[in-house]
Amino acid sequence: MSKEELIKGLNEDLAAEWGTVIRYTYQAGHSFGVMGIELREMFAEETEDELGHATFLTDYIIDLGGEPTTIPKSFDKPDSLKEMLNLDIKMEEDDVASYMKHAELAEELGFVELKFKLEEMAADEAGHARGLRRIVKGL
Ligand SMILES: [Fe+2]
Ligand SMILES: [Fe+2]
């Protein structure tokens, strides 16, 4: 596994983070009623986490000598609230898997800070997925 492959993987993660920032902003705009008030708060909190992740990845890719992407990963736009939140759960879970995979690569290459930070970010995404599952359960 080379540094170039790691940079490529981190750029996929970065594209996912930009996509999530846009997705949550878009979904917050489509959240109405009393439930919408709570959803908007949750999306705002999570967007802050995702922006922190995107900032870390941007800095780290540059420090590795790469070019960080500014192109977001695209996402579906389901009509129903439940489908929308289920999509979010799936995408958060995908992010967990990707961060764990790249944490292993980082460890192989000896990037200790990156390994632990990616694991921490995986834990953040797992927490987001868990919070979303609790909301869906109550629908
Ligand atoms: Fe994130
Ligand atoms: Fe997340």
Side-chain angles (χ1 to χ4, degrees):
M1 183 50 61
S2 67
K3 198 174 83 172
E4 281 62 39
E5 284 168 273
L6 178 64
I7 291 170
K8 189 172 171 281
L10 295 178
N11 256 323
E12 286 164 12
D13 292 334
L14 180 55
E17 292 291 352
W18 291 135
T20 307
V21 167
I22 296 169
R23 192 173 79 252
Y24 285 165
T25 306
Y26 175 87
Q27 292 177 343
H30 285 84
S31 298
F32 304 107
V34 178
M35 179 74 176
I37 295 170
E38 299 209 0
L39 280 178
R40 286 173 68 90
E41 250 174 58
M42 184 204 64
F43 284 134
E45 267 174 40
E46 294 196 1
T47 299
E48 218 172 287
D49 289 347
E50 315 303 15
L51 262 180
H53 296 164
T55 303
F56 172 80
L57 290 169
T58 296
D59 288 350
Y60 211 98
I61 290 165
I62 290 170
D63 292 343
L64 285 173
E67 175 64 14
T69 188
T70 53
I71 301 168
K73 184 177 170 181
S74 63
F75 55 90
D76 293 335
K77 295 168 181 168
D79 290 329
S80 84
L81 179 65
K82 199 167 185 175
E83 276 178 276
M84 184 177 96
L85 295 173
N86 277 326
L87 169 76
D88 292 336
I89 292 169
K90 167 80 175 62
M91 292 188 91
E92 291 284 357
E93 286 170 349
D94 288 349
D95 292 345
V96 172
S98 187
Y99 280 137
M100 291 308 286
K101 192 174 101 186
H102 296 148
E104 263 180 50
L105 295 184
E107 185 171 29
E108 273 174 37
L109 292 169
F111 296 114
V112 176
E113 180 201 2
L114 182 62
K115 170 201 157 40
F116 284 107
K117 187 71 188 173
L118 291 175
E119 285 178 353
E120 195 184 303
M121 282 154 57
D124 290 343
E125 312 302 15
H128 294 163
R130 189 163 62 86
L132 288 158
R133 275 195 296 272
R134 290 182 66 88
I135 294 173
V136 169
K137 207 173 172 181
L139 288 179

